[in-house]
């Protein structure tokens, strides 16, 4: 009634009449017990579930991650509609489970898509859980996610006890323990229930009123005064006693040696005992059945010799170690772990300065002159981070330190370009390693020599001296490897580029065997050893061998940087090729864009040239590469295919996605973009696509995922655009063709395709193409001879890719022709 009177008072202050005061009574879950089990009380779970949904809707409970909110929406839909939901149903209930502010921030259809997808993929949908069990899951999520929002709060003042930043604060009690908060809800101290050894109330000095004393495992005593001291103590005692009653964990407080009675358990002081609450001992009062975790033996334990830990889960190692200590040891541990902080009255907020930042980032200040040093308070002098009367004559920040790669570039770049400087670099490094007593400098010198021996050899006149220098330093762990590397670089030839950042970073850690991740189209990756003199061709062969492919013909390594995917030249050294690509990317960035020296990249191994590809002939290549490279091109609508083709192929793709087609049919309308070419989705309703794809999939029930992939490839391999690389370009040379066309490059040649009908407008075989060139914004190609031929002029940012692909196909076909000619020439 007091609360209602307060509402009426507020209404009067606003100028309204108390009779019309708007007030409601809410029956809500305020606090969870530490042993709360949502399965035990369905009615309670039902009420809490609706409280959480309403709280999320009105912003009382906020999710930090969008996926958490989407999952809550999916659970709400499952409770409302079960395992089968429609977009319209989800759209109608969005405002019931998503805050209005977030609904406005993202298109409604996006929320619908996210929730329906999460609903379809959820375990409770696939396993058909009961709606009640999903409500229980949501209640448990809220309990763990928002413990502070399910707490009881009390204002207290610390009368005595360990130092805290504030003396007046809020005590929050919830299922996890006790938390001390300041006015801004900043945590001052957290205490779990196992850390609390007791609490009692007492009448403090008259001016302070009622108080409660909280004792902890660290032998700390907090005396807190509050008008709610009794309520605080009763709540904590109730939780502690309830936890001890349900706890299965106890610590041995004294030793119990092996008795004649084998029923009695032996244990040492400090042993963790697992209590068996299910075995009631009616006749043996004061005894409990337990298992010694250290010895794994079971037996009876006297309740007087153990301390039951108030916890329903296994206590942390920190709690167990504190329990094993004596009170004095705990007190010392507390002093060591919690440093003394100034009392609240001493705590003054000083304006922040750049002093701390300056220690690491500012230049070294100039040395003080004698006249300044003798002055007690130097006039005109101040630290670099504070105001000075003198104008700034130098920058404050240190000169930016160069990266290790920039330094190695400075050392080796000119020598790689000018062979006459090879010996100069060798001599300078060996000079700095001679009679050098600085171990740090020596280590850096040998790392540089290791890099140098992998880039180029010394001349014949210097070779024997360099080898003897290395041989007489066998104690250096890099010496033997340097000797081998000189021999290898003399056999393989010099590198064309300075060391890549991967090589520099590896040798800085004294790693001489470099492992590199290689990614595959089926979203898997493997690690391969790559040496300084490993060529791209050799790595391709190694990968093909490890994956058990029939042949590596047509495969290549690609470097992916941002949105660019660039093929590596198989004749190049792997790290030279990497360096060339990353340097090219840095140089071709927009003018003012700052690009770091070390560029993030990924290396992919994929099919590049689609010659002699027969689905079913090489199963590994089909399942790892061919299917996963052809599928995205098919789904983007680059091929010409009929509705019947799309249905058959959709059934096979669905079979690859889900082994059991029957249980996942409901998700088909939501994942049509993953099953049907994007230009054909709107030709039929989602439900009709669903029926047709289910029927098509039913024909392949006995197929495995791999067999479905191969069946897909066998279906499309007869299309003229199979194995093509597609490029959307703007052409300006053929008035009879659309401005925007698709160019497909495959083993047949270069095809021009209508972007809408997917009809092949014309095909230029490789033997008709006489010349081609590319730049950052164009690709030009000459058909026929240079005098009477025609030119195809295209605007595209992918000219480099088309140029490389065309060059690779022509070289491969020319090599094949030359081999055939050599075979036919008589010996």
């Amino acid at each position: 009634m007091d609360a209602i009177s307060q509402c009426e008072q507020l209404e009067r202050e606003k100028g309204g009449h108390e009779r019309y005061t708007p007030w409601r009574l809410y029956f809500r879950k305020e606090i969870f017990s530490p042993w709360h089990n949502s399965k035990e009380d369905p009615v309670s779970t039902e009420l809490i579930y609706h409280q959480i949904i309403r709280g999320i809707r009105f912003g009382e409970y906020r999710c930090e991650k969008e996926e958490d909110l989407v999952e809550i929406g999916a659970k709400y839909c499952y409770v409302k509609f079960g395992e089968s939901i429609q977009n319209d149903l989800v759209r109608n209930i969005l405002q019931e489970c998503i805050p209005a502010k977030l609904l406005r921030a993202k298109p409604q259809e996006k929320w619908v898509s996210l929730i329906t997808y999460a609903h379809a993929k959820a375990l409770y949908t696939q396993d058909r859980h009961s709606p009640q069990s999903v409500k229980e899951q949501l209640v448990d999520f809220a309990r763990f996610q928002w413990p502070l929002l399910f707490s009881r709060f009390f204002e207290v003042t610390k009368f005595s006890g360990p130092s805290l930043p504030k003396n007046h604060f809020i005590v929050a009690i919830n299922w996890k323990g006790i938390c001390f908060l300041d006015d801004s809800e900043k945590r001052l101290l957290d205490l779990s229930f196992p850390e609390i050894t007791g609490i009692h109330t007492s009448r403090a000095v008259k001016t302070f009123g009622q108080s409660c004393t909280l004792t902890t495992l660290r032998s700390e005593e907090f005396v807190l005064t509050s008008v709610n001291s009794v309520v605080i103590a009763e709540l904590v005692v109730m939780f502690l006693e309830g936890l001890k009653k349900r706890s299965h964990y106890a610590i041995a407080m004294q030793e119990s040696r092996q008795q004649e009675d084998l029923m009695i358990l032996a244990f040492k002081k400090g042993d963790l005992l697992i209590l068996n609450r299910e075995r009631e001992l009616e006749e043996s009062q004061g005894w409990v059945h337990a298992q010694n975790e250290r010895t794994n033996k079971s037996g009876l334990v006297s309740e007087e010799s153990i301390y039951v830990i108030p916890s329903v889960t296994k206590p942390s190692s920190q709690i167990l170690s504190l329990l094993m200590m004596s009170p004095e040891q705990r007190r010392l541990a507390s002093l060591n772990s919690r440093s003394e902080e100034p009392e609240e009255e001493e705590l003054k907020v000083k304006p922040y300065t750049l002093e701390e930042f300056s220690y690491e980032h500012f230049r070294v200040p100039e040395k003080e002159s004698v006249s300044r040093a003798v002055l007690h308070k130097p006039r005109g002098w101040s630290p670099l981070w504070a105001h000075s009367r003198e104008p700034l004559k130098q920058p404050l920040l240190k000169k930016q330190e160069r990266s290790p790669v920039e330094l190695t570039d400075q050392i080796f770049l000119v020598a790689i370009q000018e062979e006459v400087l090879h010996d100069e670099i060798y001599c300078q490094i060996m000079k700095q390693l001679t009679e050098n007593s600085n171990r740090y400098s020596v280590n850096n010198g040998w790392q540089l020599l290791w890099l140098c021996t992998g880039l180029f050899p010394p001349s014949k006149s210097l070779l024997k001296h360099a080898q003897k220098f290395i041989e007489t330093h066998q104690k250096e762990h890099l010496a033997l490897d340097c000797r081998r590397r000189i021999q290898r670089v003399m056999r393989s030839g010099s590198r064309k580029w300075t060391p890549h950042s991967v090589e520099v970073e590896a040798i800085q850690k004294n790693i001489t065997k470099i492992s590199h991740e290689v990614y595959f189209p089926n979203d898997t990756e493997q690690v391969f050893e790559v040496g300084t003199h490993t060529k791209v061709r050799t790595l391709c062969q190694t990968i093909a061998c490890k994956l058990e492919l029939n042949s590596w013909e047509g495969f290549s390594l690609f470097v992916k940087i941002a949105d660019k995917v660039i093929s590596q030249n198989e004749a190049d050294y792997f790290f030279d090729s990497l360096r060339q690509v990353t340097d090219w990317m840095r140089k071709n960035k927009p003018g003012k864009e700052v690009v770091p020296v070390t560029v993030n990249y990924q290396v992919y191994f994929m099919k590049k040239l689609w010659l002699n590809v027969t689905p079913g002939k090489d199963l590994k290549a089909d399942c790892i590469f061919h299917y996963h490279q052809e599928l995205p091109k098919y789904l983007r609508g680059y091929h010409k295919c009929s509705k019947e083709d799309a249905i058959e192929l959709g059934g096979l793709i669905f079979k690859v996605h889900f082994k059991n087609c029957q249980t996942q049919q409901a998700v088909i309308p939501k994942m049509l973009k993953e099953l049907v070419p994007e230009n054909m989705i709107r030709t039929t309703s989602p439900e009709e696509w669903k029926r047709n794809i289910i029927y098509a999939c039913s024909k392949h029930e006995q197929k495995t995922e791999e067999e479905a992939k191969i069946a897909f490839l066998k279906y499309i391999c007869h299309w003229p655009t199979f194995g093509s690389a597609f490029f959307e370009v703007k052409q300006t040379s053929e008035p009879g063709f659309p401005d925007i066309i698709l160019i497909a490059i495959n083993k047949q040649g270069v095809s021009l395709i209508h972007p809408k009908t997917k009809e092949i407008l014309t095909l230029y075989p490789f033997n008709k193409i006489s010349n081609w060139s590319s730049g950052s914004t164009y690709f030009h190609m000459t058909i026929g001879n240079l005098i009477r031929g025609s030119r195809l002029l295209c605007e595209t940012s992918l000219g480099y890719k088309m140029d490389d692909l065309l060059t690779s196909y022509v070289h491969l076909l020319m090599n094949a022709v030359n081999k055939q000619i050599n075979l036919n020439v008589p010996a």
Side-chain angles (χ1 to χ4, degrees):
M1 298 308 291
D2 282 347
I4 294 170
S5 297
Q6 194 173 357
C7 292
E8 292 173 346
Q9 179 66 32
L10 286 170
E11 185 65 21
R12 276 197 299 271
E13 289 173 4
K14 291 178 184 177
H17 196 280
E18 61 192 46
R19 185 183 298 174
Y20 306 111
T21 302
W23 57 266
R24 288 180 182 177
L25 287 176
Y26 282 98
F27 183 62
R28 290 164 50 91
K29 184 69 172 175
E30 183 184 25
I31 185 169
F32 287 101
S33 67
W35 53 87
H36 179 87
N37 186 344
S38 299
K39 292 182 170 59
E40 289 180 350
D41 189 346
V43 176
S44 166
T45 299
E46 178 75 16
L47 292 171
I48 300 167
Y49 166 76
H50 286 290
Q51 176 181 324
I52 292 163
I53 293 296
R54 178 184 170 83
I56 290 167
R57 176 187 174 187
F58 290 107
E60 181 184 359
Y61 308 126
R62 296 181 183 179
C63 296
E64 291 181 8
K65 298 178 182 176
E66 184 183 274
E67 52 262 38
D68 289 340
L69 191 58
V70 170
E71 183 58 33
I72 289 168
K75 284 186 168 74
Y76 185 67
C77 288
Y78 187 86
V79 171
K80 275 244 176 194
F81 310 118
E83 62 200 56
S84 179
I85 59 172
Q86 310 251 334
N87 284 2
D88 291 339
L89 294 174
V90 178
R91 201 176 290 109
N92 292 337
I93 58 91
L94 274 179
Q95 68 276 8
E96 296 175 23
C97 57
I98 306 292
K101 186 178 179 181
L102 293 178
L103 271 179
R104 290 193 297 270
K106 194 186 289 282
Q108 197 177 66
E109 289 306 314
K110 184 68 175 174
W111 284 111
V112 172
S113 173
L114 289 169
I115 289 173
T116 50
Y117 188 74
H119 178 279
K121 290 286 185 183
L123 282 175
Y124 49 80
T125 305
Q126 295 179 15
D127 297 342
R128 300 183 178 182
H129 290 186
S130 68
Q132 183 62 27
S133 70
V134 175
K135 290 178 184 178
E136 291 163 5
Q137 290 175 28
L138 188 56
V139 170
D140 289 339
F141 168 82
R143 184 163 66 94
F144 282 94
Q145 185 76 6
W146 303 297
L148 267 182
L149 297 181
F150 291 96
S151 303
R152 291 201 65 185
F153 299 96
F154 307 95
E155 284 191 37
V156 302
T157 301
K158 181 170 73 72
F159 183 70
S160 65
S163 178
L164 292 172
K166 299 284 180 73
N167 282 337
H168 187 74
F169 50 85
I170 296 164
V171 167
I173 302 173
N174 54 52
W175 68 272
K176 295 184 81 172
I178 298 177
C179 181
F180 294 176
L181 305 165
D182 66 9
D183 295 337
S184 62
E185 295 189 12
K186 180 183 175 183
R187 293 171 186 266
L188 307 177
L189 180 67
D190 274 310
L191 291 171
S192 63
F193 286 113
E195 291 178 90
I196 301 166
T197 54
I199 187 169
H200 65 270
T201 60
S202 61
R203 177 65 64 181
V205 183
K206 285 184 180 180
T207 51
F208 293 100
Q210 192 76 27
S211 71
C212 60
T213 303
L214 186 73
T215 56
T216 72
L217 258 185
R218 294 181 175 82
S219 300
E220 299 166 325
E221 276 194 1
F222 292 93
V223 180
L224 310 174
T225 61
S226 170
V227 293
N228 297 306
S229 293
V230 175
V231 181
I232 294 171
E234 286 176 351
L235 188 57
V236 173
V237 168
M238 183 186 77
F239 281 171
L240 288 174
E241 288 180 351
L243 282 168
K244 285 189 176 185
K245 185 178 176 182
R246 294 165 176 81
S247 175
H248 289 271
Y249 304 96
I251 200 89
M253 304 306 291
Q254 59 191 49
E255 186 175 354
S256 173
R257 297 183 180 178
Q258 187 66 53
Q259 306 286 327
E260 293 180 5
D261 187 348
L262 298 177
M263 291 288 289
I264 296 176
L265 179 65
F267 50 80
K268 291 182 178 180
K269 184 179 179 181
D271 279 353
L272 179 64
L273 306 177
I274 314 298
L275 308 179
N276 189 343
R277 298 284 188 183
E278 295 174 5
R279 295 182 63 172
E280 295 290 340
L281 301 169
E282 295 176 4
E283 297 177 4
S284 307
Q285 294 296 327
W287 293 85
V288 65
H289 196 276
Q291 181 185 18
N292 189 329
E293 190 186 56
R294 179 177 57 81
T295 63
N296 211 26
K297 292 181 179 179
S298 301
L300 294 176
V301 174
S302 169
E303 291 180 350
E304 294 179 357
S305 60
I306 63 172
Y307 171 76
V308 179
I309 303 169
S311 176
V312 290
T313 57
K314 186 177 178 180
S316 65
S317 56
Q318 185 184 12
I319 297 293
L320 292 174
S321 63
L322 283 169
L323 284 166
M324 292 177 196
M325 294 180 187
S326 66
E328 187 57 35
Q329 288 173 323
R330 289 178 199 159
R331 191 174 288 109
L332 288 172
S334 172
L335 289 171
N336 292 334
S337 63
R338 289 187 184 153
S339 57
E340 286 293 320
E341 296 182 17
E343 293 294 329
E344 187 177 22
E345 54 268 23
E346 296 175 11
L347 197 67
K348 293 181 180 178
V349 179
K350 294 181 179 179
Y352 192 77
T353 71
L354 288 177
E355 182 177 5
E356 184 180 340
F357 178 83
S358 71
Y359 296 148
E360 186 176 351
H361 300 283
F362 279 18
R363 60 179 165 81
V364 179
E366 295 175 357
K367 291 181 180 179
E368 295 179 27
S369 63
V370 177
S371 59
R372 281 180 179 172
V374 296
L375 291 171
H376 184 62
K377 288 186 178 179
R379 291 177 61 193
W381 180 87
S382 59
L384 283 178
W385 47 268
H387 168 261
S388 62
R389 292 185 179 182
E390 296 179 8
L392 295 175
K393 296 175 182 177
Q394 297 180 55
L396 290 175
L397 296 174
K398 293 177 184 175
K399 288 183 180 178
Q400 195 67 36
E401 289 186 8
R402 287 179 293 178
S403 70
V405 178
E406 288 178 294
L407 295 173
T408 52
D409 282 356
Q410 188 178 2
I411 295 167
F412 297 119
L413 183 59
V414 180
I416 281 178
Q417 294 168 347
E418 303 291 339
E419 190 177 339
V420 292
L421 293 175
H422 288 184
D423 284 359
E424 181 67 30
I425 298 297
Y426 270 100
C427 290
Q428 286 190 16
I429 295 173
M430 289 187 287
K431 170 191 178 299
Q432 292 300 90
L433 286 170
T434 303
E435 297 179 11
N436 188 343
S437 58
N438 185 331
R439 190 65 233 173
Y440 177 77
S441 173
V442 168
N443 288 340
N444 286 347
W446 278 100
Q447 289 169 0
L448 279 175
L449 188 59
W450 185 88
L451 288 170
C452 186
T453 54
L455 295 175
F456 43 75
S459 67
K460 288 182 180 178
S461 59
L462 180 62
L463 177 62
K464 62 179 181 179
H465 299 284
Q467 286 175 329
K468 283 183 179 179
F469 179 87
I470 293 170
E471 285 169 10
T472 55
H473 288 79
Q474 289 301 313
K475 290 182 181 179
E476 300 293 340
H477 72 280
L478 291 176
L480 184 60
D481 209 33
C482 287
R483 184 181 174 186
R484 290 178 188 147
R485 284 163 68 84
I486 288 180
Q487 298 300 324
R488 201 176 296 126
V489 77
M490 289 173 69
R491 289 195 306 269
S492 305
S494 299
R495 292 265 297 268
K496 303 291 190 295
W497 292 76
T498 52
H500 191 267
S501 59
V502 171
E503 298 175 275
V504 177
E505 288 167 12
I507 197 58
Q508 280 187 294
K509 299 170 186 174
N510 289 319
I511 297 170
T512 56
K513 291 186 177 179
I514 302 170
S515 296
H516 206 290
E517 266 189 340
V518 177
Y519 295 84
F520 306 119
N522 65 339
D523 290 333
T524 60
E525 71 272 349
Q526 288 193 35
V527 174
F528 296 88
E529 189 177 316
V530 185
T532 300
H533 299 101
T534 299
K535 293 205 170 180
V536 173
R537 180 191 297 109
T538 308
L539 183 54
C540 286
Q541 291 169 340
T542 303
I543 295 169
C545 183
K546 190 172 181 181
L547 296 179
E548 300 176 350
L549 304 180
N550 290 352
S551 168
W552 73 280
E553 183 188 32
F555 286 92
S556 183
L557 286 170
F558 296 82
V559 183
K560 184 177 186 295
I561 304 175
D563 59 342
K564 293 274 194 299
V565 179
I566 303 163
S567 173
Q568 290 189 288
N569 186 347
E570 65 181 50
D572 288 345
Y573 289 116
F574 175 75
F575 284 118
D576 272 357
S577 180
L578 263 188
R579 187 66 199 261
Q580 185 178 1
V581 170
T582 51
D583 281 12
W584 178 81
M585 281 295 296
R586 292 180 66 244
K587 287 174 185 174
N588 284 276
K589 282 284 183 182
K592 293 184 180 180
E593 190 172 339
V594 178
V595 183
V597 176
T598 305
V599 180
N600 291 325
Y601 68 92
Q602 288 177 314
V603 175
Y604 280 83
F605 182 67
M606 296 189 288
K607 192 76 170 180
K608 180 182 180 182
L609 307 177
W610 293 67
L611 293 170
N612 306 320
V613 176
T614 307
K617 189 177 178 183
D618 188 343
L619 300 182
K620 295 272 188 182
D622 287 339
C623 294
I624 300 172
F625 301 96
H626 300 155
Y627 173 81
H628 292 280
Q629 287 184 240
E630 279 299 288
L631 179 63
K633 294 181 274 186
Y634 165 73
L635 293 176
R636 287 185 192 122
Y638 291 152
H639 300 286
K640 183 184 180 183
C641 73
S642 65
K643 181 181 174 183
E644 291 71 26
D645 293 334
I647 291 167
E648 287 299 317
L649 293 169
L652 288 166
I653 298 167
F654 191 67
K655 180 66 183 175
V656 173
H657 273 282
F658 303 103
K659 293 178 183 177
N660 188 349
C661 300
Q662 300 295 326
T663 60
Q664 302 296 332
Q665 294 173 0
V667 304
I668 290 177
K670 302 174 189 68
M671 58 179 296
L672 281 177
K673 288 184 179 178
E674 300 173 46
L675 302 173
V676 180
E678 62 182 31
N679 61 317
M680 298 184 70
I681 291 175
R682 296 183 182 276
T683 59
T684 303
S685 70
E687 287 304 315
E688 189 176 340
W689 278 119
K690 177 183 173 182
R691 284 194 301 274
N692 290 329
I693 289 172
I694 290 170
Y695 175 72
C697 189
S698 66
K699 293 189 273 184
H700 308 293
E701 279 185 5
Q702 304 306 316
K703 282 187 171 66
T704 63
E705 180 186 332
E706 288 73 22
E707 288 169 341
K709 288 180 180 180
I710 293 162
F712 173 89
L713 292 168
K714 284 182 176 179
Y715 197 102
I716 68 169
C717 70
H718 303 295
W719 294 352
T721 47
F722 173 71
S724 298
F726 295 90
F727 305 92
E728 192 174 280
V729 303
K730 181 181 180 182
Q731 66 89 20
T732 55
S733 53
E734 293 287 346
F737 293 163
D739 289 344
I740 304 298
I741 59 169
L742 272 179
I743 290 184
I745 302 176
N746 58 28
K747 64 180 181 180
Q748 309 294 339
V750 179
S751 299
L752 308 190
I753 300 173
H754 195 288
K756 291 183 179 177
T757 65
K758 311 303 176 188
E759 294 283 351
I760 296 177
L761 302 171
T762 187
L763 168 65
Y764 301 120
F766 292 118
N767 59 1
K768 298 291 184 185
I769 302 169
S770 56
N771 190 32
W772 59 91
S773 61
S774 66
S776 58
T777 58
Y778 70 88
F779 175 76
H780 296 170
M781 187 171 74
T782 305
I783 299 95
N785 61 53
L786 294 173
I787 300 170
R788 295 186 178 180
S790 59
R791 294 188 76 193
L792 178 68
L793 308 177
C794 303
E795 293 178 19
T796 175
S797 60
L798 298 174
Y800 71 95
K801 215 170 183 178
M802 298 169 72
D803 191 329
D804 172 64
L805 197 57
L806 194 52
T807 303
S808 299
Y809 266 117
V810 170
H811 282 178
L812 190 66
L813 291 168
M814 286 177 66
N815 288 340
V817 170
N818 291 335
K819 281 182 184 177
Q820 194 63 39
I821 291 170
N822 291 336
L823 287 172
N824 294 333
V825 173

